[in-house]
Amino acid sequence: MSKIKTRDVKKDIKSLNKSPQTINRMQSLYDKSRRYQKEFDTPTEQSSDEYATNHLSELGNDLASQGKQGAETLLRRASDHRQRVKSRKDAQTIDFQEYSKKGAKQRHAKDQFRRSKVKHGKLDSRFHNMGIGSESNHNKSPLSKAQKRRFKVVRKSTVKTSAHAAKTAYKTKQATQQAAKQSARAVKAAAKTVTEVAKKIAQVAYAGAKLAVAAIKSLVSLLIAGGWVSVIVILIICLFGSALYVFGDSSSNSYTPISAEVEAYTPIIRIYAKNHGIPDYTELIKAVMMQESGGKGNDPMQASESGFNTKYPRTPNGITDPEYSIDIGIQNLASCLSSAGVTNPVDMDHIRLALQGYNFGNGYISWAQKNHGGYSVANAAEFSDMMATKNGWTGYGDKQYVAHVLRYYPYGHINQGIGNTVITQVALSQLGNAGGQPFWSWYGFNGRVEWCACFVSWCADQGGYIESGIIPKFAGCVNGANWFKDRGQWQERSYTPSPGDIIFFDWQGDGVTDHVGIVEKCENGMVYTVEGNNNNSVRQATYSVGSGIIYGYGVPKY
């Protein structure tokens, strides 16, 4: 760019034409603008507001250096303009000193771009109309066409710099939004991956674990019924059940599937479960119905004697409408669950209390909580005997109702280890029973026999293990031992047993078993047992591991 020629200026002349000097300043400003633009294209921590601040500050310094009179004129006009801006409240102050002190603030990209244009538009007008002369002469000198062109170049470059800054800020905002969208997509993809993994595990469970299959089916039922609160908990149980199967835990095989008749009632069960506030307990309701009737008859929930029955006689099988039976039975179970403090479908300690209350009546729940702190096989037997004596009956309810129901409940076996503990609890509940009449008469004998095997079989039946094929029904010790041997479930006397194992004895040492009991536990090299017909009573006994009077062990696949 060629340099504009100007006439010589003598220092002793007070009145000067400052237009050429203004053009030179604009040329300098243009060079600085180009430099600012290059700096902006290079990564920097300065914002677009800081660029504008520096730019205007330098411009003010250049103008102030022109002399006292020119500075006073500039400041006076700046002050006037500041007052106009303050009154209108729609423009930005051009007081360069105050602007520098305030510092830069981030603004919206579009607003920044608009204000930049306004500022530079004001400067256009200022320099175009500015005439800086002596105190007595304020005549303004118009700019030539060449000067105007140069001024436009400077203005365009300055505005372009601010526009570039605004555009960059806008692109940064877009990039941030795009990054947020990508993060959201990543989270969604991760969730999808977790779902696929769960499906794969479920497929493994379907391949062979009956319990996991039932649990997954119940999970689907919960989803359909809207039982979202328990879904995550039960999903964990399902996956845990699958893992047990994969790694060879046979306890999952103790689950007994419900019948087609009970399954057919599922839609009705869901409706009344929701009506009575227990939509998450559909599978438990099915298990109760399975134990009560197998889904057969006009009173499938055996709810006729319930206090909630107001339509039919409160006598056994008094209800003749299956749907009404389901309604009343679910209402009764909901009351028991509430009284027992059940929190979710896998809260097994409280569910056991609620189930026994469903069979005995709600009064058992408060009695067990007050006297024993909750449910146990022993206190269920105690309550049954107490109520039978009080009413002059031979029996009261089902002492083993909990075990009978839970064999049909998919969540009742995995997390509580019910398989090898129920039979020992049942056996312990009979301690002190003398003569064995309940056990040999249950088996089918009309008079007393050596009843140790009858006792073991009775305990197994109370836990549902005979029906599920886990333990045989046997009255002779030899037959019982051979049953386990034939299935590869036999261990010799040196074996360290587990609770629930069936222990066989050989009193004579002749290689023939002649007594049987149930292992309660094994600790510190000692085997603790519960035995029927031990001196004609149910008693506990203790033996050393590997004792010579031990014949061997049947090991049920709980």
Side-chain angles (χ1 to χ4, degrees):
M1 184 180 293
S2 59
K3 188 175 181 180
I4 299 177
K5 296 180 180 181
T6 59
R7 62 184 178 83
D8 295 335
V9 179
K10 296 182 180 180
K11 295 181 181 181
D12 57 347
I13 300 178
K14 295 182 179 180
S15 181
L16 299 175
N17 183 352
K18 297 299 182 75
S19 295
Q21 295 177 353
T22 300
I23 296 302
N24 289 335
R25 288 196 298 275
M26 295 300 293
Q27 176 67 45
S28 175
L29 179 61
Y30 172 78
D31 294 338
K32 290 179 181 179
S33 297
R34 294 293 298 274
R35 186 174 68 253
Y36 293 156
Q37 185 174 4
K38 291 180 179 180
E39 292 176 358
F40 189 85
D41 291 336
T42 303
T44 177
E45 295 182 357
Q46 281 188 306
S47 66
S48 55
D49 284 345
E50 289 173 335
Y51 275 118
T53 299
N54 295 337
H55 174 71
L56 294 176
S57 296
E58 291 196 19
L59 177 61
N61 291 335
D62 289 343
L63 294 175
S65 66
Q66 299 304 312
K68 179 180 179 180
Q69 295 177 353
E72 289 177 350
T73 301
L74 179 63
L75 292 175
R76 184 176 63 255
R77 294 188 179 187
S79 179
D80 293 341
H81 183 74
R82 187 167 61 253
Q83 292 299 324
R84 290 194 300 273
V85 169
K86 185 176 181 181
S87 62
R88 292 195 306 268
K89 294 182 180 180
D90 61 352
Q92 184 177 354
T93 180
I94 58 171
D95 187 334
F96 304 126
Q97 294 178 353
E98 288 297 318
Y99 192 92
S100 298
K101 291 178 181 178
K102 289 181 180 179
K105 295 182 179 180
Q106 293 290 339
R107 296 176 177 83
H108 191 277
K110 292 182 179 180
D111 187 50
Q112 179 191 50
F113 180 55
R114 178 180 61 77
R115 292 185 180 183
S116 297
K117 293 182 68 175
V118 171
K119 282 190 286 187
H120 292 295
K122 296 291 184 182
L123 291 175
D124 288 352
S125 176
R126 181 181 303 283
F127 290 121
H128 183 73
N129 296 318
M130 187 183 298
I132 303 177
S134 63
E135 294 181 359
S136 60
N137 182 14
H138 297 287
N139 296 327
K140 303 174 183 178
S141 300
L143 300 175
S144 66
K145 291 183 178 180
Q147 291 170 339
K148 289 180 179 180
R149 282 195 299 270
R150 290 191 179 186
F151 180 80
K152 287 181 179 180
V153 170
V154 173
R155 181 188 63 185
K156 183 177 181 181
S157 175
T158 304
V159 172
K160 184 177 180 181
T161 300
S162 295
H164 182 73
K167 186 176 181 181
T168 301
Y170 180 71
K171 287 183 176 180
T172 301
K173 180 181 178 181
Q174 283 186 319
T176 301
Q177 292 175 340
Q178 186 65 24
K181 291 180 180 179
Q182 290 177 350
S183 297
R185 286 195 294 267
V187 170
K188 187 176 181 180
K192 184 177 180 181
T193 300
V194 171
T195 302
E196 292 300 324
V197 171
K199 289 180 179 179
K200 293 296 183 182
I201 297 176
Q203 289 173 0
V204 173
Y206 269 91
K210 294 190 293 183
L211 176 57
V213 170
I216 293 170
K217 287 173 64 178
S218 349
L219 178 60
V220 173
S221 298
L222 273 180
L223 290 171
I224 295 173
W228 295 99
V229 174
S230 304
V231 167
I232 298 301
V233 176
I234 293 174
L235 178 59
I236 293 172
I237 296 299
C238 293
L239 299 184
F240 181 63
S242 303
L244 288 180
Y245 172 72
V246 171
F247 291 104
D249 191 312
S250 61
S251 65
S252 61
N253 293 328
S254 61
Y255 169 71
T256 303
I258 60 175
S259 67
E261 289 85 353
V262 172
E263 202 64 78
Y265 279 120
T266 299
I268 298 176
I269 290 174
R270 286 179 184 152
I271 292 172
Y272 287 105
K274 185 176 182 180
N275 289 347
H276 295 301
I278 55 171
D280 296 353
Y281 297 85
T282 301
E283 295 305 313
L284 185 62
I285 297 167
K286 292 180 185 179
V288 170
M289 182 187 289
M290 187 66 189
Q291 172 58 26
E292 293 289 347
S293 68
K296 299 175 181 179
N298 293 326
D299 187 9
M301 292 294 288
Q302 292 294 292
S304 297
E305 298 175 75
S306 168
F308 293 100
N309 174 21
T310 59
K311 186 176 178 181
Y312 293 90
R314 291 182 183 174
T315 56
N317 296 309
I319 294 177
T320 57
D321 179 359
E323 184 171 344
Y324 184 75
S325 172
I326 293 171
D327 182 8
I328 297 304
I330 291 176
Q331 190 174 357
N332 187 17
L333 181 60
S335 176
C336 292
L337 292 172
S338 177
S339 298
V342 176
T343 58
N344 61 65
V346 291
D347 181 9
M348 298 310 303
D349 288 338
H350 295 100
I351 284 178
R352 287 186 172 91
L353 178 62
L355 289 176
Q356 195 64 66
Y358 184 88
N359 179 253
F360 283 165
N362 220 316
Y364 163 78
I365 296 175
S366 57
W367 176 86
Q369 290 172 329
K370 179 181 178 180
N371 295 284
H372 301 280
Y375 166 83
S376 72
V377 174
N379 72 47
E382 178 187 348
F383 186 85
S384 175
D385 293 340
M386 179 182 68
M387 294 301 292
T389 302
K390 179 180 179 180
N391 291 284
W393 300 336
T394 57
Y396 182 87
D398 181 356
K399 297 178 182 179
Q400 300 301 320
Y401 186 77
V402 172
H404 291 158
V405 171
L406 291 184
R407 57 185 164 176
Y408 305 113
Y409 187 54
Y411 314 138
H413 299 257
I414 297 175
N415 68 325
Q416 294 293 326
I418 190 173
N420 64 343
T421 58
V422 167
I423 192 170
T424 58
Q425 292 179 29
V426 171
L428 289 168
S429 72
Q430 301 302 310
L431 289 175
N433 194 320
Q437 189 274 336
F439 314 115
W440 52 257
S441 63
W442 163 84
Y443 196 93
F445 293 107
N446 295 322
R448 186 191 182 283
V449 296
E450 299 299 327
W451 52 275
C452 60
C454 293
F455 172 73
V456 171
S457 296
W458 181 87
C459 291
D461 181 68
Q462 297 301 297
Y465 303 122
I466 292 178
E467 183 177 352
S468 60
I470 295 173
I471 297 176
K473 182 178 180 180
F474 64 102
C477 296
V478 174
N479 291 337
N482 289 338
W483 189 92
F484 287 106
K485 290 179 180 179
D486 292 344
R487 287 160 178 76
Q489 297 172 226
W490 181 260
Q491 294 289 342
E492 301 299 331
R493 65 167 59 95
S494 60
Y495 164 73
T496 300
S498 299
D501 285 348
I502 309 302
I503 183 170
F504 292 85
F505 298 90
D506 178 8
W507 300 134
Q508 307 301 325
D510 57 3
V512 179
T513 179
D514 42 31
H515 184 64
V516 65
I518 299 169
V519 175
E520 178 187 355
K521 60 184 178 180
C522 182
E523 295 177 350
N524 302 319
M526 302 299 293
V527 181
Y528 297 82
T529 67
V530 181
E531 302 165 22
N533 199 25
N534 184 326
N535 290 328
N536 202 33
S537 296
V538 177
R539 295 187 178 187
Q540 292 173 291
T542 307
Y543 308 91
S544 299
V545 173
S547 170
I549 61 175
I550 297 176
Y551 179 73
Y553 299 90
V555 183
K557 290 186 176 181
Y558 291 111

